[in-house]
Amino acid sequence: MSPHAITFDGSQFWVTHRRTNYGPFDYEWSRDFAGVELLYRGQKFGEYVSRTEIYADLRQFELPQRVVEVACITLGAVIFGVLNGLDEPHKRWTVYDHLTRRGLDRFANQIRRQPS
């Protein structure tokens, strides 16, 4: 197991930090389809309403700060891809790009899919 990675299974993903897995992180459309709810282990922790309205608070889960950072960047990039109709390779590249821009290469270089 790599000490740092992001592993996707459909829309869900896990962040591996220091060989410990955290997740699944996921998203789903809000009931009124006006926004996107952000989920950790099935519990809502935030919502994307628009480019200027985003709420996220993972404090209750007491996750390591690096996990919070990687998960939020990854979710933001995935939602950007979904809202802009990007295909899978481009969504993955967007996640990679946003992570590397923030110096999180060790996670960006280990983005993978869960074996089916």
Side-chain angles (χ1 to χ4, degrees):
M1 175 197 283
S2 175
H4 299 92
I6 300 171
T7 305
F8 282 91
D9 184 7
S11 64
Q12 296 183 336
F13 67 91
W14 288 257
V15 175
T16 303
H17 176 59
R18 298 182 176 171
R19 291 188 170 79
T20 301
N21 291 322
Y22 299 90
F25 293 90
D26 203 354
Y27 67 91
E28 63 183 30
W29 289 101
S30 59
R31 289 187 180 145
D32 62 3
F33 293 103
V36 179
E37 295 180 352
L38 311 177
L39 307 171
Y40 176 68
R41 294 184 175 173
Q43 281 190 271
K44 180 178 174 180
F45 73 87
E47 187 168 5
Y48 171 92
V49 179
S50 71
R51 297 181 107 195
T52 58
E53 271 187 273
I54 301 170
Y55 164 78
D57 185 354
L58 285 161
R59 280 181 284 185
Q60 68 180 336
F61 303 107
E62 299 179 355
L63 300 170
Q65 186 60 38
R66 185 63 70 199
V67 172
V68 171
E69 183 179 11
V70 170
C72 288
I73 291 168
T74 301
L75 273 168
V78 167
I79 290 169
F80 173 85
V82 169
L83 295 175
N84 288 285
L86 300 181
D87 60 13
E88 280 305 310
H90 285 98
K91 279 190 245 181
R92 223 180 233 225
W93 182 87
T94 302
V95 171
Y96 175 86
D97 183 51
H98 283 275
L99 289 169
T100 56
R101 284 190 205 188
R102 288 162 182 83
L104 298 166
D105 302 63
R106 64 183 179 243
F107 293 94
N109 292 326
Q110 292 295 320
I111 299 172
R112 55 186 176 232
R113 284 226 165 278
Q114 189 82 311
S116 304

